Amino acid sequence: MTTPPYPEDPEQSAYPQDLEQPGLVRTGRSTFVRPIRPEDADRLVAFVGGLSRATLAYRSLGPVIRARDDVIRRGAYVDYLNELALVALAGDEIAGLVRYVRDTEDPDHAEVTFTIRDDDQSEGFGRLLLEHIAAAARARGIRVLKADVLADNTRMINVFLGSGYRVESGPPGQIVHFDIAVDPQAQAVARAERREHTAVRRSLRPLLEPRSVAVIGANRSPLTIGHEIVANLLRGGFRGSVFPVNPRAEQVAGARAYPSVRELPEPPDLALIAVRAEAVPEVVRECAAAGVKAVVVVSTGFGETGAAGRTTELELSRFARASGMRMVGPNCMGVVNTTPAARLAATFSPALPTPGRVAMSTQSGPLGLAVLDLARRLRLGFSGFVSVGHAVDVSTNDLLQWWEEDPETSVILLHVETFGNPRRFARIARRVAPRKPIIAVHPGHAGHAGHAGHAQTTGQVDSGRRGGSGGRGDSTGAGHADPPGPSDSAVSSLFAQSGVIRTRSLQELFDAALLLAHQPPPPGNRVAVITNAGGPAALTVGACAASGLSVPPLGERTREKLRAALGPGAEAANPADLTPMATAAHYRQALDAVLADDGIDAAIVLFMPPLADKPDEVAAAILDAAEAAPSKPVVASFLGGAGVADLLHRGELVVPTYAFPESAAASLGHAAAYQAWRSTPAGVVPDLPGVDTDRARSLLAGCAPGPVSPRLAAELLDSYGIAVRDTEPGSGPGSLPSSGLGSGPGSGLDAFLSVGADPVFGPVVAFGLTGYYADLMADVAHRVTPLSDRDAREMVRSLRAAPLLDGRVGGPGVDLAALEETVLRISAMVEDLPEIEAMELRPIRLLPPGDGVAITRATIRLADETRKGGLS
């Protein structure tokens, strides 16, 4: 081997770990994209050596010139700033390579080249690598990528033209020159999301609709995990081949066993791994060599054991993705798909769900066992169920995109503690929720005990992460830990903004799912209560009020119908008390009357057995009335009635029944709020004048993590049309005093805007008035980026102190239009510059209408790594 004429460790920027990302090409094949490293020199030589003459000609723009190995090896040495190369891996080999070299005379331009291995040129590696290199270049202050392409290289030309980026091409000729502006235009973002969506769905097909399944670690002994997975696959009606793998068994659960994956009669689409943790890496390697497309690692002993276990599971994930496989787990209980296309029960759970319209993702394996058991007892059918475990690869975000287009799924349930990519979750949820309800159980935790901005009373941005003591530090902002997250009520508002129904317990989760899986969401929040006992009705009215529902008076025509049905002495009111002597016929007549009332959107039916009629007759009457009015939901509570859920089913028609009326009201409240969100105009994310994104990125290029200087913070904000009056508070001309209520006639109110990262939603903007409004009253509004014009308008008007802002109390009010525009500019800034981890503008003087706002201090902190979205 020739000694390279360059240092083994050249002067370079630190290796950009944040650019290591899993990827999916157009066909759904998995890969792993990362920066090239010096140890890739031999891989690079092998990669170039395997390229055809035609590919080399396209790469060199002319006659084939075979470079020497030592020249090729130079390409593995880059500085990651002025020269950067990314590789897409297929197993241990390079499938694709993209490289940019910055123009020394025009440093915001760079020359870019793409090389894809011949066998992989039709799968979409070029488009995937363009998205990754564009993001990396943008973060390094490069605005334009320049490329020269032979005119007959139609594949590469189509990659550029179809990317959605702003592309300018030179005049037609043998060589076509392209200038690709890497600023993410809306069209580029939309096309990238569509490409990713298609790729994710294709990559999950071998996992959720496999043609064959291997169980590695299959056990001959019943009640062991390896045995029960095989048994469930067989009795669950799986139509494909099931291959137990056990070197010491001839059969498992009646199916022929095989000594290893290598000796199977065909490469299985899916492999479930239930072996000791230390044996899992070798088994995953064998699966990759055998051509397995997806693996589910049921085994425990990874991230839950500490840092070493976490490192091992991440290495497993990277290897799986580079080998073209998707991976679920580790530490999970498997996957279930009851749809006709699959009938897959790849789990060790003793309780298997019945087919239905609900799909669920959960991170907790033990909780998953309880979930399936509870769902079966509630007669809640599932279309799919996935226990993602530690979710080092396949995540809730992936599954949302699968169930988004699954015709058998109408409701999606989530139990998650954190999201690998919160930004992507918020976007996917907002896309899916208008079509299918998403219900999440999120009880809250210590990290949400406070509210954004509350602890930072001096406006300082944290300069460090939480230390081992876990303390919050002092209030000066010097070296203290992360600010507390949004309050519990704020978390609910963030879920609501994304269209996700937030519940606080599994019972509440399933209560809401029962309703939305079987009944339409109500067109409004007006509820009629029908009962044969006054006490439960009073409880129901109170529960409705607590759930955001109203129990309004009935229309005169409806009251006449009730009096005609029940007799002249009946109290035709809402609640409609039918008395203990009510018959099934009375229930039917009363329900028909209230559901026909234009002022009623839903009905809650209460029944106290055993009284005049049998529960089965009353249940039949309720079903008849619900069937006759399919646009309005009907729910029931048969207090003290056992087995009533079975009575309120008739084919596809199901009336959800609850043990107590409070649960019925809460479920209707969730459904009504969801329908109100779905019916409300979303607004638009406006194009804002005076935004210079290129300048902002240039300012950030080369900046170290941590707090930026006050002057740089002011310049960054100025790039987005936000003026900071002074970079240091209390100094220089024009500095403004700070107080919670202003400092004199016309001086305005003081407020703050802050940005922090939420583990579920990603960047969250917080707004409130300073002083006791935020500190004592916790009067702070929160929204998830990106904010639409409607989001900004609702945010600033949602405070309890809003009458001070709009002039209803204490004077002419403030310049709301200028305030809303500032909120939108902050949202745009956070979206464009993911390096920003935290930001706070404090104080902001809110001036009278027409006078704008005055910002006197801004603090910004940059993240340790550029926060970009992966696929998780």
Side-chain angles (χ1 to χ4, degrees):
M1 180 182 299
T2 304
T3 302
Y6 45 84
E8 288 294 334
D9 189 17
E11 183 178 351
Q12 57 183 204
S13 302
Y15 177 79
Q17 190 82 28
D18 59 293
L19 296 185
E20 292 190 349
Q21 294 285 337
L24 292 172
V25 295
R26 176 181 52 81
T27 60
R29 175 179 167 189
S30 295
T31 185
F32 194 77
V33 179
R34 63 165 173 80
I36 203 164
R37 301 190 290 239
E39 55 265 34
D40 291 322
D42 290 336
R43 289 189 184 90
L44 192 57
V45 170
F47 170 68
V48 175
L51 300 176
S52 69
R53 287 184 173 86
T55 295
L56 284 172
Y58 283 134
R59 171 64 182 82
S60 60
L61 302 180
V64 176
I65 300 175
R66 179 74 66 176
R68 300 194 316 269
D69 283 1
D70 61 330
V71 176
I72 296 172
R73 293 174 62 84
R74 286 177 182 266
Y77 292 79
V78 297
D79 64 9
Y80 304 117
L81 180 62
N82 297 312
E83 183 180 8
L84 174 66
L86 303 177
V87 294
L89 298 177
D92 199 39
E93 300 176 346
I94 298 174
L97 169 72
V98 61
R99 181 189 304 273
Y100 79 65
V101 179
R102 193 188 299 264
D103 189 328
T104 55
E105 296 181 358
D106 192 359
D108 62 354
H109 286 58
E111 192 80 24
V112 66
T113 56
F114 294 79
T115 312
I116 310 299
R117 196 168 59 178
D118 286 73
D119 292 342
D120 301 308
Q121 288 179 2
S122 62
E123 296 204 38
F125 277 94
R127 189 157 294 173
L128 175 69
L129 287 172
L130 174 59
E131 292 172 9
H132 283 257
I133 200 70
R138 191 166 58 241
R140 287 155 178 78
I142 294 171
R143 293 190 304 108
V144 177
L145 295 174
K146 304 181 296 182
D148 290 320
V149 183
L150 287 175
D152 62 346
N153 189 355
T154 55
R155 281 178 175 163
M156 204 68 239
I157 290 173
N158 288 334
V159 165
F160 294 151
L161 296 179
S163 67
Y165 291 108
R166 190 171 65 253
V167 176
E168 296 181 3
S169 58
Q174 183 180 0
I175 296 176
V176 182
H177 178 80
F178 288 94
D179 285 339
I180 306 156
V182 297
D183 188 42
Q185 304 294 310
Q187 186 181 39
V189 173
R191 289 186 181 181
E193 288 183 349
R194 285 197 299 270
R195 186 200 65 78
E196 179 208 273
H197 175 69
T198 300
V200 165
R201 286 188 52 79
R202 287 174 176 168
S203 76
L204 294 182
R205 194 168 298 280
L207 171 70
L208 297 173
E209 294 181 355
R211 293 167 297 179
S212 54
V213 181
V215 181
I216 305 168
N219 199 303
R220 287 172 293 185
S221 302
L223 302 182
T224 58
I225 289 176
H227 183 278
E228 293 308 302
I229 293 174
V230 176
N232 280 341
L233 283 166
L234 295 174
R235 64 172 170 255
F238 180 62
R239 295 175 178 175
S241 301
V242 178
F243 303 124
V245 176
N246 184 328
R248 294 181 295 277
E250 295 183 359
Q251 286 190 341
V252 173
R256 178 187 172 184
Y258 296 84
S260 70
V261 180
R262 295 186 298 272
E263 299 178 56
L264 297 179
E266 64 183 72
D269 282 346
L270 173 64
L272 285 97
I273 300 174
V275 299
R276 300 184 316 276
E278 57 267 26
V280 169
E282 179 60 31
V283 170
V284 172
R285 284 191 287 269
E286 291 179 359
C287 287
V292 175
K293 297 181 178 66
V295 292
V296 175
V297 181
V298 177
S299 309
T300 62
F302 292 93
E304 75 277 13
T305 65
R310 180 64 178 169
T311 298
T312 299
E313 66 185 20
L314 290 176
E315 290 173 351
L316 275 176
S317 171
R318 292 189 183 102
F319 175 82
R321 294 304 293 267
S323 301
M325 298 188 297
R326 300 302 309 265
M327 185 175 101
V328 173
N331 194 13
C332 70
M333 55 173 289
V335 301
V336 176
N337 188 348
T338 69
T339 64
R343 297 186 181 177
L344 176 72
T347 176
F348 57 87
S349 172
L352 295 180
T354 56
R357 309 289 298 177
V358 176
M360 183 171 185
S361 167
T362 176
Q363 281 186 285
S364 170
L367 181 63
L369 295 173
V371 162
L372 291 180
D373 180 65
L374 177 60
R376 194 171 186 89
R377 288 190 281 112
L378 292 174
R379 292 198 56 170
L380 182 65
F382 277 72
S383 59
F385 178 88
V386 180
S387 167
V388 295
H390 295 169
V392 293
D393 178 24
V394 173
S395 71
T396 295
N397 291 344
D398 294 316
L399 296 170
L400 276 173
Q401 297 188 78
W402 175 268
W403 290 321
E404 177 181 5
E405 295 185 22
D406 179 17
E408 304 297 325
T409 298
S410 58
V411 179
I412 300 171
L413 310 184
L414 306 179
H415 170 264
V416 287
E417 297 167 5
T418 60
F419 289 85
N421 191 325
R423 286 177 183 259
R424 181 161 282 113
F425 166 70
R427 284 161 174 73
I428 295 172
R430 281 188 261 191
R431 187 181 74 223
V432 176
R435 298 171 51 205
K436 299 183 179 184
I438 302 172
I439 313 173
V441 57
H442 190 282
H445 51 77
H448 286 130
H451 58 81
H454 178 81
Q456 299 177 358
T457 55
T458 64
Q460 300 285 337
V461 174
D462 305 340
S463 60
R465 309 296 293 178
R466 179 170 300 140
S469 66
R472 289 287 180 192
D474 59 34
S475 62
T476 67
H480 63 76
D482 288 336
S487 65
D488 189 71
S489 61
V491 171
S492 291
S493 72
L494 296 178
F495 273 111
Q497 182 197 355
S498 300
V500 179
I501 300 169
R502 187 257 182 114
T503 62
R504 292 170 173 80
S505 68
L506 282 176
Q507 185 65 58
E508 188 181 1
L509 178 87
F510 282 119
D511 286 345
L514 275 171
L515 191 157
L516 288 167
H518 300 301
Q519 293 282 307
N525 70 338
R526 301 164 300 179
V527 177
V529 178
I530 297 175
T531 182
N532 63 352
L539 290 174
T540 305
V541 171
C544 285
S547 302
L549 303 170
S550 68
V551 183
L554 301 173
E556 182 55 37
R557 186 175 179 183
T558 304
R559 297 175 66 188
E560 290 176 0
K561 290 180 181 178
L562 287 175
R563 282 192 289 265
L566 305 175
E571 183 179 353
N574 191 12
D577 189 351
L578 308 185
T579 77
M581 302 307 295
T583 66
H586 291 141
Y587 270 94
R588 173 63 196 274
Q589 291 167 329
L591 258 178
D592 284 342
V594 299
L595 292 175
D597 191 326
D598 291 337
I600 295 297
D601 302 305
I604 299 177
V605 185
L606 309 178
F607 178 70
M608 286 286 292
L611 291 172
D613 270 12
K614 297 178 181 178
D616 57 342
E617 295 175 358
V618 174
I622 294 171
L623 287 169
D624 291 340
E627 189 172 28
S631 64
K632 295 182 180 181
V634 177
V635 298
S637 178
F638 277 39
L639 290 89
V644 176
D646 294 333
L647 301 178
L648 288 166
H649 284 242
R650 180 188 296 160
E652 294 294 318
L653 176 63
V654 177
V655 171
T657 182
Y658 303 91
F660 299 104
E662 295 90 341
S663 299
S667 300
L668 264 182
H670 286 309
Y674 165 72
Q675 180 62 17
W677 173 85
R678 190 166 67 167
S679 303
T680 301
V684 297
V685 178
D687 290 327
L688 299 166
V691 171
D692 190 344
T693 307
D694 292 337
R695 177 193 172 201
R697 292 202 177 99
S698 297
L699 290 168
L700 285 177
C703 286
V708 305
S709 69
R711 190 160 300 280
L712 177 55
E715 290 181 12
L716 286 168
L717 288 160
D718 184 66
S719 300
Y720 279 80
I722 302 172
V724 179
R725 182 71 62 91
D726 290 305
T727 57
E728 294 292 347
S731 64
S735 62
L736 297 174
S738 174
S739 68
L741 290 171
S743 60
S747 66
L749 300 167
D750 281 354
F752 70 87
L753 271 169
S754 67
V755 177
D758 183 86
V760 172
F761 297 99
V764 173
V765 179
F767 167 71
L769 300 183
T770 58
Y772 65 82
Y773 294 107
D775 296 340
L776 299 182
M777 299 172 61
D779 190 14
V780 180
H782 299 79
R783 292 295 185 275
V784 183
T785 64
L787 273 68
S788 69
D789 54 358
R790 186 182 185 92
D791 291 330
R793 186 166 55 252
E794 291 179 346
M795 181 181 189
V796 301
R797 289 168 169 78
S798 66
L799 298 180
R800 293 194 297 276
L804 293 172
L805 303 180
D806 60 20
R808 284 177 286 168
V809 174
V814 305
D815 194 336
L816 287 173
L819 175 58
E820 291 164 14
E821 182 177 322
T822 302
V823 171
L824 289 170
R825 290 181 183 275
I826 290 295
S827 172
M829 185 175 177
V830 172
E831 286 295 297
D832 291 344
L833 307 174
E835 301 94 328
I836 294 177
E837 182 177 52
M839 173 169 32
E840 186 167 58
L841 312 183
R842 177 194 295 259
I844 303 173
R845 179 59 47 80
L846 305 181
L847 302 174
D851 290 346
V853 299
I855 299 166
T856 61
R857 183 171 173 79
T859 48
I860 293 176
R861 184 180 67 205
L862 303 183
D864 290 344
E865 294 179 352
T866 301
R867 297 185 179 228
K868 295 185 179 68
L871 288 169
S872 54

